[in-house]
Amino acid sequence: MTTVTTRTVEYPADGLTMIGHLALPAGAGRRPAVLVGPEGPGLNDFQRRRADALAELGYVALAFDINGGRWFTDPAEMLACVTPLLADPDRMRGIGHAALDVLRAEPRTDPDRIAAVGYGTGGAIVLELGRDGVDLRAIGTVNALTTGRPGEAARIRCPVWAGVGSEDPIMPPAQQDAFTAEMQDAGVDWRLVVYGGALHAFHHPPVDHTVRPGVGYHPRHAQRAWRDVVGLLAECLPVTEPSRHQL
């Protein structure tokens, strides 16, 4: 296993002190980097491990915060915080840009080779970075088929990959159609993978024993979605740039 170094990083965003998790791969040179956005409840150890896993693959990875270090266990409290955020593209972009600035400032980061991956609310945030014209190599989202303000998807400058559960009540077929229509009309290089039988948050192991309608863990699809994210990065942001003479 590759040696990974981690540290906590604090930075201001959205009127809060955000507490992110930075994971660095072995070595001393610059590496491609990945911004990793969390689900609505916030950043927890499972999501920090996503950054660690990417660092093991050779990426600098920052799991960014959205709730000022809080992890919401009460769904109603979480929705009260997240719902207005999802309705405000400028707030989402502010949170995303603040995290991106931290990642770019890391000396190990190659600032010209950055991708963004997000889950749920974090996925909506990285999509807004794309709609804001940020120069990213790839955008990957899971359970984040949000649509943006009219015409702004044309500013996305990289491939977009999206995954969703077929039984996700928060991202029903009508929402999937609206998202793909937006991407297609904007001329984006997009892909959508629908994981059969999966609910919302199918990628995240349960953190308590509360049964929440429409939410459920699907271990097999969680593994598949992770492999799909890693495949997107391997295609669009390889750890080693191919030789210019390589076909």
Side-chain angles (χ1 to χ4, degrees):
M1 180 181 297
T2 303
T3 302
V4 170
T5 303
T6 65
R7 69 172 184 266
T8 297
V9 290
E10 295 188 4
Y11 59 96
D14 201 35
L16 301 169
T17 298
M18 300 300 187
I19 304 174
H21 176 80
L22 182 69
L24 304 174
R30 286 189 168 184
R31 294 290 186 272
V34 184
L35 201 59
V36 185
E39 291 89 344
L43 196 59
N44 66 1
D45 284 343
F46 176 77
Q47 295 168 88
R48 294 183 186 98
R49 287 196 294 271
R50 288 179 182 142
D52 297 348
L54 290 173
E56 290 174 3
L57 295 174
Y59 297 99
V60 175
L62 174 65
F64 66 86
D65 187 11
I66 60 174
N67 295 328
R70 295 189 65 187
W71 167 263
F72 289 107
T73 56
D74 180 353
E77 189 178 11
M78 182 271 291
L79 288 173
C81 182
V82 166
T83 301
L85 174 61
L86 290 171
D88 192 335
D90 292 327
R91 278 184 66 198
M92 288 193 285
R93 292 177 186 188
I95 291 172
H97 276 289
L100 188 59
D101 288 345
V102 171
L103 185 58
R104 283 177 170 155
E106 163 56 45
R108 295 290 310 282
T109 295
D110 180 344
D112 296 322
R113 302 183 66 214
I114 297 176
V117 174
Y119 296 77
T121 302
I125 289 171
V126 302
L127 280 168
E128 283 304 319
L129 286 178
R131 294 184 182 109
D132 201 31
V134 173
D135 185 13
L136 298 169
R137 291 294 186 96
I139 294 172
T141 72
V142 182
N143 290 344
L145 301 182
T146 57
T147 50
R149 290 179 290 214
E152 291 190 336
R155 301 173 68 187
I156 295 176
R157 304 164 62 182
C158 64
V160 171
W161 175 91
V164 66
S166 68
E167 307 308 303
D168 184 342
I170 300 174
M171 302 287 163
Q175 182 67 21
Q176 297 176 33
D177 291 345
F179 174 80
T180 57
E182 179 192 21
M183 295 296 110
Q184 184 66 19
D185 291 346
V188 176
D189 177 2
W190 65 272
R191 283 172 281 174
L192 174 65
V193 175
V194 179
Y195 297 96
L199 298 168
H200 191 69
F202 71 87
H203 50 275
H204 196 299
V207 294
D208 56 38
H209 298 291
T210 303
V211 176
R212 299 172 187 168
V215 175
Y217 182 48
H218 196 302
R220 187 178 305 117
H221 283 325
Q223 294 175 358
R224 288 168 173 164
W226 177 252
R227 288 197 297 266
D228 286 342
V229 166
V230 171
L232 172 73
L233 296 175
E235 174 190 341
C236 301
L237 189 69
V239 172
T240 302
E241 285 275 35
S243 166
R244 68 179 60 187
H245 301 295
Q246 182 176 335
L247 298 178

